[in-house]
Amino acid sequence: MATQQRPFHLVVFGASGFTGQFVTEEVAREQVDPARNSRLPWAVAGRSREKLLRVLERAALKLGRPTLSSEVGIIVCDINNPASLDEMAKQATVVLNCVGPYRFYGEPVVKACIENGTSCIDISGEPQFLELMAWKYHEKAAAKGVYIIGSCGFDSIPADLGVIYTKNKMNGTLTTLESFLTIQSGPEGLCIHDGTWKSAIYGFGDQNNLKKLRKETNLKPLPILGPKLKRRWPISYCRELNSYSIPFLGADVSVVKRTQRYLHENLEQSPVQYAAYVTVGGITSVIKLMFAGLFFLFFVKCGIGRQLLIKFPWLFSFGYFSKQGPTQKQIDASSFTMTFFGQGFSEPVASNKSKPNLKICTQVKGPEAGYVATPIAMVQAAMTLLNDVADLPKAGGVFTPGAAFGRTKLIDRLNQRGIEFSVINSSEV
């Protein structure tokens, strides 16, 4: 990467947004990491210089770094002004794009970065945006030798790299894998900023276009090794975790499937069948979530319903989402655990009727998912792009985290910063 030719190695675009503020703080921490042996020139970017300065001042106060504002560049640019996006991209080696919902605001940044030879990562959990960018821009990015990598936050680095980690730790061939996400919260409960809520509303309201896009791409089905992974009921009980679970409706399944396709088609690896779930505790939580889900699905189908969902997130999400986002106490008391249960074979798979004879259980554990783990994952993905160039795919392109970072030291970097990958047990049946 041409870091020497650009004034900034990293630029945080949307630094004054809710999540962007946390990403800004995380880059500031990385800047003074004792393990660094060189300076990290970086900048924040957004529409308002005053807001960007306030974000830097808050970060300086929180981190005890009074000189921070004078150490960081400021770039004023607007998503609706392509020329300003070009100017931002020209100054950066990697842009960290925090401006969502990405379905509305993501493509101009991708386009500006490719045209100006700049790599870009985002934290999108929106399958339609992610798949559309891959379909439209992969070849253009490859021709420019730049890396466009989506879903580099909690969506979907723990899941995507968790699958690769489990696959690498199994003494045989991993064929099926189920993940169960458990969110732990403190006495004040959970809360998520309504930006995530809006992305979900627009995504579910536009399912038909995602189906149409997938039909147009006309991809061949991936081969299935061993027995086909059976999907669980919408509400099922996980004995191992002693908890009810529901399907995880984020981007993880879409992202993992794209990674497995890349590994199969480019590196001739056998694809893993994958399903994602989230644990919801006891029967009371199941009932509460059922009602919230029914309300959501009913209202998301029409324009007026979507407007009501957007206007009153706290009401329709039963308090899980709000315009204010979580308090610092809620963030500090929250954490996540993603548990993977895999099956596979110690010998080459003879047929789809063969029974797996290996089992493995792994975990990815970390701090609060949205505003602590996500900035850590995003910033470490960016540092991996800067430092592990030889281990990235040889040509540029639009990639998933697993496709881009599967051979890099990203998992090691995450382990050092509190997002821990581990094997719980591995056994022969």
Side-chain angles (χ1 to χ4, degrees):
M1 295 221 175
T3 53
Q4 300 304 321
Q5 300 161 19
R6 310 275 173 123
F8 304 114
H9 289 188
L10 304 179
V11 172
V12 181
F13 180 50
S16 57
F18 191 82
T19 305
Q21 298 175 58
F22 293 98
V23 173
T24 299
E25 288 174 15
E26 190 58 32
V27 178
R29 289 188 191 95
E30 181 64 32
Q31 183 189 20
V32 294
D33 187 334
R36 289 193 57 75
N37 54 16
S38 62
R39 186 171 155 267
L40 179 67
W42 66 290
V44 290
R47 287 180 297 179
S48 165
R49 178 177 289 273
E50 291 72 25
K51 285 184 179 179
L52 293 170
L53 271 169
R54 283 202 294 272
V55 167
L56 290 175
E57 286 163 5
R58 277 198 296 271
L61 193 64
K62 188 172 178 181
L63 302 174
R65 300 258 305 280
T67 61
L68 181 64
S69 298
S70 63
E71 299 166 13
V72 183
I74 293 179
I75 301 170
V76 177
C77 63
D78 191 329
I79 199 75
N80 297 310
N81 182 343
S84 72
L85 292 178
D86 285 336
E87 280 304 307
M88 173 187 69
K90 284 173 186 174
Q91 298 180 67
T93 304
V94 181
V95 169
L96 286 69
N97 183 15
C98 302
V99 180
Y102 291 92
R103 66 170 53 241
F104 300 130
Y105 308 120
E107 186 169 358
V109 181
V110 169
K111 194 174 177 185
C113 284
I114 292 173
E115 287 176 357
N116 293 283
T118 306
S119 291
C120 176
I121 61 177
D122 67 49
I123 45 176
S124 171
E126 305 166 43
Q128 186 178 341
F129 166 76
L130 295 163
E131 294 179 32
L132 181 63
M133 292 303 98
W135 189 54
K136 284 181 74 171
Y137 291 103
H138 179 72
E139 289 180 5
K140 292 177 183 176
K144 283 280 193 173
V146 299
Y147 297 87
I148 308 296
I149 308 169
S151 52
C152 285
F154 179 71
D155 289 295
S156 293
I157 277 181
D160 203 19
L161 291 184
V163 173
I164 290 174
Y165 176 83
T166 308
K167 193 175 183 179
N168 291 340
K169 292 296 181 181
M170 186 172 236
N171 292 321
T173 303
L174 180 69
T175 56
T176 63
L177 195 63
E178 294 179 308
S179 69
F180 292 83
L181 169 64
T182 302
I183 300 290
Q184 294 91 8
S185 62
E188 295 191 17
L190 289 171
C191 184
I192 305 169
H193 188 258
D194 75 331
T196 304
W197 176 252
K198 286 176 185 172
S199 295
I201 291 166
Y202 294 126
F204 278 94
D206 202 22
Q207 283 286 305
N208 288 338
N209 276 330
L210 178 57
K211 289 175 184 173
K212 186 180 174 184
L213 171 64
R214 286 174 174 170
K215 193 174 181 181
E216 284 179 24
T217 54
N218 197 28
L219 297 171
K220 293 178 183 177
L222 286 171
I224 293 174
L225 294 183
K228 188 173 182 181
L229 178 62
K230 291 179 181 177
R231 294 295 186 264
R232 293 172 180 252
W233 289 93
I235 298 170
S236 62
Y237 187 74
C238 178
R239 262 195 336 272
E240 295 88 346
L241 299 176
N242 192 28
S243 176
Y244 286 94
S245 69
I246 59 173
F248 180 65
L249 300 177
D252 287 357
V253 172
S254 162
V255 171
V256 168
K257 193 169 185 179
R258 286 173 55 215
T259 295
Q260 293 305 309
R261 178 175 294 282
Y262 171 85
L263 296 175
H264 175 66
E265 292 178 351
N266 294 274
L267 303 178
E268 298 181 351
Q269 294 185 16
S270 57
V272 177
Q273 301 174 66
Y274 173 70
Y277 302 91
V278 57
T279 64
V280 294
I283 199 69
T284 307
S285 299
V286 170
I287 293 167
K288 186 178 176 181
L289 278 164
M290 277 176 62
F291 276 106
L294 288 170
F295 270 114
F296 184 85
L297 291 172
F298 177 77
F299 280 92
V300 83
K301 290 182 185 295
C302 64
I304 295 172
R306 288 193 289 274
Q307 289 307 310
L308 286 169
L309 288 170
I310 289 166
K311 194 171 183 181
F312 304 106
W314 191 86
L315 175 67
F316 288 105
S317 69
F318 285 65
Y320 285 116
F321 293 87
S322 78
K323 292 180 184 292
Q324 294 76 35
T327 64
Q328 192 60 50
K329 278 187 178 180
Q330 286 175 316
I331 290 172
D332 292 342
S334 181
S335 60
F336 79 89
T337 303
M338 191 173 280
T339 306
F340 298 83
F341 297 103
Q343 293 190 348
F345 297 84
S346 55
E347 303 292 335
V349 185
S351 75
N352 287 1
K353 292 180 181 177
S354 303
K355 283 190 176 181
N357 68 338
L358 290 180
K359 284 188 176 183
I360 189 169
C361 174
T362 61
Q363 275 187 346
V364 181
K365 299 177 82 167
E368 190 276 336
Y371 313 107
V372 183
T374 285
I376 290 171
M378 187 183 210
V379 172
Q380 292 313 310
M383 297 311 298
T384 303
L385 264 185
L386 290 174
N387 295 307
D388 293 5
V389 180
D391 298 320
L392 298 171
K394 285 183 181 176
V398 181
F399 297 102
T400 58
F405 301 127
R407 294 178 165 186
T408 69
K409 297 173 185 170
L410 178 54
I411 288 177
D412 295 337
R413 287 190 169 90
L414 295 173
N415 272 321
Q416 290 164 12
R417 287 162 179 82
I419 300 176
E420 299 170 358
F421 292 68
S422 62
V423 176
I424 303 304
N425 60 61
S426 181
S427 61
E428 193 160 343
V429 179

